[in-house]
Amino acid sequence: PNQKTCLVKTHEHKQDAQPAIYVVRDGRTAIVSLWEFYDRRIPLKTLIEGTHQFGKWQDHLQAWDYSRRPKTLFLRYEDLLLNLEQTLKLLSDFLQHQILSHDLPARESIANQDGRWVRSGVEQADTRLSGDLLELFNNLHAEGLKRAGYQ
């Protein structure tokens, strides 16, 4: 059958039982990325504690509960970069579509077209929290880190 697949990207909590691809990113990196997205105007501590519109990283992970949610493919962001072939196979099987390309465009190429949602690799902040902020994140999000395989 000639059937179109419509994909919707969201940062919101699940709304229904429709099939979903849940892509999780190491929370420590995700927090720094969000901080950069907000031009560092929101303190990192606020983002770690989840006292902002998206809430705590771990709570978002829990809300989707990909391990119990039917028709949900769980992917780690890092696997898109480090294990592309296996990730493409998982996506192909889940979406029931053939793989059209085995290459990702260079990040710089995407950043040059966008610049807000995808930043140049040169502009990326250190992806690791350190000191008290790292300790705070690890304490508040230990369960989520473990659940997603980051600990």
Side-chain angles (χ1 to χ4, degrees), residues 48-66:
I48 291 167
E49 292 172 338
T51 53
H52 58 93
Q53 83 178 75
F54 295 117
K56 287 169 72 177
W57 174 82
Q58 175 174 282
D59 292 346
H60 192 274
L61 189 71
Q62 174 105 19
W64 275 86
D65 197 8
Y66 57 85

Side-chain angles (χ1 to χ4, degrees), residues 2 30 34-35 45 52 62 66 71-73 82 91 100 103 110 118-121 125 131 136 149:
N2 189 6
L34 185 59
W35 182 57
K45 185 176 185 216
H52 58 93
Q62 174 105 19
Y66 57 85
K71 300 183 282 182
T72 300
L73 175 62
L82 302 174
L91 285 164
L100 300 178
D103 298 312
I110 298 170
V118 176
R119 292 179 307 277
S120 166
L136 177 64

Side-chain angles (χ1 to χ4, degrees), residues 19-21 70-73 89-97:
I21 301 168
K71 300 183 282 182
T72 300
L73 175 62
K89 174 75 171 109
L90 291 169
L91 285 164
S92 175
D93 292 347
F94 185 78
L95 296 171
Q96 297 180 3
H97 283 272

Side-chain angles (χ1 to χ4, degrees), residues 44-141:
L44 270 169
K45 185 176 185 216
T46 298
L47 298 176
I48 291 167
E49 292 172 338
T51 53
H52 58 93
Q53 83 178 75
F54 295 117
K56 287 169 72 177
W57 174 82
Q58 175 174 282
D59 292 346
H60 192 274
L61 189 71
Q62 174 105 19
W64 275 86
D65 197 8
Y66 57 85
S67 65
R68 294 188 194 160
R69 190 176 186 279
K71 300 183 282 182
T72 300
L73 175 62
F74 171 75
L75 297 174
R76 290 176 11 140
Y77 173 83
E78 296 79 9
D79 290 337
L80 292 168
L81 303 175
L82 302 174
N83 200 348
L84 182 61
E85 283 302 314
Q86 180 181 349
T87 303
L88 288 174
K89 174 75 171 109
L90 291 169
L91 285 164
S92 175
D93 292 347
F94 185 78
L95 296 171
Q96 297 180 3
H97 283 272
Q98 69 180 11
I99 299 169
L100 300 178
S101 175
H102 292 262
D103 298 312
L104 286 177
R107 182 177 189 91
E108 293 295 321
S109 171
I110 298 170
N112 287 338
Q113 292 180 27
D114 175 69
R116 176 74 175 144
W117 300 101
V118 176
R119 292 179 307 277
S120 166
V122 175
E123 297 171 3
Q124 291 291 310
D126 181 11
T127 57
R128 301 272 179 217
L129 297 173
S130 61
D132 292 343
L133 291 174
L134 177 59
E135 185 177 341
L136 177 64
F137 186 92
N138 288 339
N139 288 335
L140 290 176
H141 301 274

